[in-house]
Amino acid sequence: LGPTAPVMHALGDKIASTILAQSSKVPCIPWNGDGIFAEIQSDGSIPLEPFKKACLQNYEEALECAKRIGYPVVLKASEGGGGKGIRKANNDQELKSGWEQV
């Protein structure tokens, strides 16, 4: 009864769920994964390639996105942390500090 495990996993993941929302034309706030779309697979998951494309790998990528989106921005660790991995940045210096913390 209900969605399959891969669908529940995708909906529980902030990156995957936002990609699915964008792909379904749900309006989303600006984020580093703007314009990334994915077709849901037969098992209810999304392909790994668009997921990885939406993940920032280093501070330079974060800075590029922050410049495009505009400050303030929020940095969020993609997994775990219980909210400890969330940082608001109002400028480049706070972004660098926040990146190192999350």
Side-chain angles (χ1 to χ4, degrees):
L1 180 65
T4 63
V7 170
M8 292 303 295
H9 182 271
L11 293 176
D13 181 279
K14 289 169 184 61
I15 294 171
S17 62
T18 306
I19 291 170
L20 287 175
Q22 287 179 167
S23 300
S24 299
K25 298 188 181 0
V26 174
C28 298
I29 63 171
W31 70 298
N32 55 287
D34 285 349
I36 297 174
F37 300 99
E39 291 289 326
I40 195 163
Q41 298 179 346
S42 61
D43 68 354
S45 65
I46 67 165
L48 189 57
E49 184 180 332
F51 181 85
K52 285 186 172 185
K53 189 175 178 184
C55 295
L56 297 174
Q57 302 300 314
N58 55 54
Y59 167 72
E60 289 74 23
E61 290 179 3
L63 181 60
E64 182 181 320
C65 287
K67 297 284 187 186
R68 179 179 58 81
I69 294 168
Y71 288 104
V73 297
V74 174
L75 293 170
K76 167 72 175 84
S78 63
E79 296 195 15
K84 297 176 188 171
I86 299 173
R87 297 289 183 273
K88 177 183 175 185
N90 292 303
N91 55 51
D92 295 354
Q93 184 177 5
E94 288 180 10
L95 182 71
K96 181 146 182 70
S97 175
W99 179 265
E100 293 167 359
Q101 293 174 16
V102 299

